[in-house]
Amino acid sequence: MSFKFKMDRNKRIIKIKPILNRFNISKTVSSIYEILNRYEENFQIFIWGVPYCYFPDAFDHIIYKKRKSKNYVKISECSLCRLNKICPGIEKGSVFNDGLKILKPVLSVPNEIVFEVSNKCLLDCEMCVKKNKKDGLKVKTIFKAIDRAADIGVKNIRFTGGEPLIYPQIADLVKYSKNKGFYTIINSSLLCDRSFIKEIGSFIDDILVSVHGFDEESEFEITKKRFFKKKILNINYAIKNIKRVRIGSVITKKLIDNFEKYLIALPSGIKVWELYRPMVGKNFLISKPEFDLNIEDYKKLLTKIKKSKSGYKICIANPIPFCAFRPEERNFLLGGVFDDGYTRIIMDSKGYFKPSYYININLGTEISESWDNNLLKSITWERKMSERCDRCLWFLKCLGGSRYASYEKYGSYKSEDPLIKKL
Ligand SMILES: C[S@@+](CC[C@H](N)C(=O)[O-])C[C@H]1O[C@@H](n2cnc3c(N)ncnc32)[C@H](O)[C@@H]1O
């Protein structure tokens, strides 16, 4: 074995320590990626003592801290690596410093480009940041950006909105993206005709459908429309026509209280049910206390998630600080790495890129220019972390919680997540 392997079933943690020499260094990568694929859904996996660039597609699993007695050097790949500032470099005299060409910079381009094709929607959700806005992207702009994403090696394309399925050229866009080789994702309320699901289903790798209630009335309370039955019927149809169907719901106190009713109402054939930490401002919370969640609310929800036997994965999405929860609970948190501009950027319906759905900073109109934007770097990978975060094993998954929530509470994207302060 070219690595040590330790599994803690109670805390649901796996620790891997590669033992590398110049003969096994290439083979070990593939064996460890196999372990990740097999256990990642149910365990937190940590890989000890190797540089992030040894596993560029699994960098968030790596624990790589500077050892006092060692010298480190930066190599040519470091200047392209998003983690350059937090990485000490390559240990002098280590197997990685041996001229082997297997190190690849992490996130030299974004993993995903998201298009808010238009703000038009069939729903009128209470918490939506797009409410009453009517901008939309020109289809030419989207095609051009997809071409650019293909040229530089982006992996995922996602279409969202508003409602992307009512965008007139959505079928052409989805087909184009899939034919270019992208993992193609769509966020939708799926209120279209079944024939349309059939037409575009084979070009979609992953659909994330919003469902906010467990019946017509509870769905109406959030979306202000009565489409619950239609959504559920269409989700069941999509399960037969699209590889991966997920459901997303914004967490409210009412959702937590009625969690078991959702489990009965949601189609059992979905792959994942994502529960979103609400990303809403102070003023909104004053009039809608349903969305004002504290750590105890999340703990109550996590206890219910742990007990459920749904057959699909259930997790809390949008960044949330891991230190507020026990290690075995953290397995149900998606963490910060997918949001806030750490791994993807979003083309706003006005035509510029921004860090996230909720952080509306104009980064530029071209992918590489926007990805290299210094403000983006300064609120994400190059942000000065607190000592508490610096020392934490979960740091690369959690990334200190939500930048949006920090801004809303303290007026700075660089502050701590308000849920951490309450600990
Ligand atoms: C904005 S919608 C766009 C796509 C599509 N119209 C839909 O219904 O899914 C994408 C997802 O973001 C969620 N969402 C919207 N506003 C949110 C907020 N303020 N906080 C957390 N999630 C939110 C929605 O519930 C939905 O699941």
Side-chain angles (χ1 to χ4, degrees), residues 109-343:
V109 298
N111 271 348
E112 181 172 308
I113 299 296
V114 184
F115 295 97
E116 284 177 5
V117 291
S118 129
N119 286 338
K120 287 192 191 135
C121 195
L122 301 168
L123 307 176
D124 188 18
C125 299
E126 290 202 295
M127 65 293 167
C128 183
V129 285
K130 297 287 172 183
K131 236 173 152 57
N132 306 323
K133 295 187 183 150
K134 294 281 174 274
D135 315 291
L137 291 171
K138 288 195 180 118
V139 73
K140 250 171 78 181
T141 310
I142 307 177
F143 278 122
K144 198 172 147 202
I146 294 178
D147 285 343
R148 175 73 182 143
D151 289 345
I152 62 174
V154 171
K155 296 188 188 105
N156 303 352
I157 293 288
R158 182 188 301 250
F159 301 101
T160 185
E163 175 47 54
L165 290 191
I166 56 174
Y167 188 73
Q169 298 90 349
I170 192 67
D172 297 340
L173 286 169
V174 163
K175 288 174 190 171
Y176 192 71
S177 164
K178 184 67 191 159
N179 289 336
K180 281 246 167 196
F182 288 106
Y183 186 80
T184 301
I185 308 163
I186 195 155
N187 290 9
S188 170
S189 53
L190 202 58
L191 294 169
C192 55
D193 289 343
R194 284 174 163 214
S195 57
F196 195 56
I197 301 176
K198 195 156 179 67
E199 182 194 338
I200 61 171
S202 60
F203 298 94
I204 297 173
D205 294 289
D206 186 344
I207 186 162
L208 179 54
V209 187
S210 65
V211 177
H212 292 300
F214 55 86
D215 62 10
E216 214 61 78
E217 277 321 297
S218 48
E219 176 85 3
F220 180 83
E221 277 174 31
I222 304 260
T223 65
K224 307 293 173 240
K225 301 280 166 179
R226 294 188 200 279
F227 285 134
F228 181 77
K229 276 202 196 99
K230 179 161 185 185
K231 267 192 194 176
I232 299 296
L233 281 172
N234 276 358
I235 292 171
N236 274 315
Y237 189 70
I239 288 167
K240 298 188 192 108
N241 289 279
I242 298 176
K243 269 181 243 151
R244 185 170 152 90
V245 179
R246 294 181 289 152
I247 287 179
S249 314
V250 173
I251 308 168
T252 60
K253 289 186 194 275
K254 195 161 179 184
L255 179 145
I256 300 172
D257 289 342
N258 290 286
F259 182 82
E260 295 75 13
K261 293 186 186 156
Y262 282 80
L263 290 180
I264 295 168
L266 299 184
S268 57
I270 57 167
K271 296 281 193 270
V272 183
W273 182 24
E274 280 187 7
L275 296 158
Y276 303 122
R277 175 183 183 183
M279 296 284 122
V280 288
K282 286 180 274 222
N283 294 339
F284 178 87
L285 290 176
I286 294 168
S287 57
K288 310 273 178 208
E290 271 295 296
F291 291 83
D292 197 0
L293 305 175
N294 56 38
I295 289 171
E296 290 318 310
D297 293 317
Y298 287 112
K299 282 190 176 281
K300 192 170 154 193
L301 176 61
L302 281 163
T303 306
K304 292 192 174 199
I305 294 176
K306 264 168 61 187
K307 272 199 204 141
S308 66
K309 296 193 169 58
S310 60
Y312 45 83
K313 184 182 163 103
I314 307 178
C315 55
I316 297 182
N318 286 345
I320 189 160
F322 279 36
C323 49
F325 307 97
R326 291 196 303 274
E328 61 277 21
E329 292 172 330
R330 296 172 191 172
N331 216 35
F332 301 98
L333 310 177
L334 276 194
V337 76
F338 303 107
D339 289 279
D340 290 343
Y342 287 100
T343 53

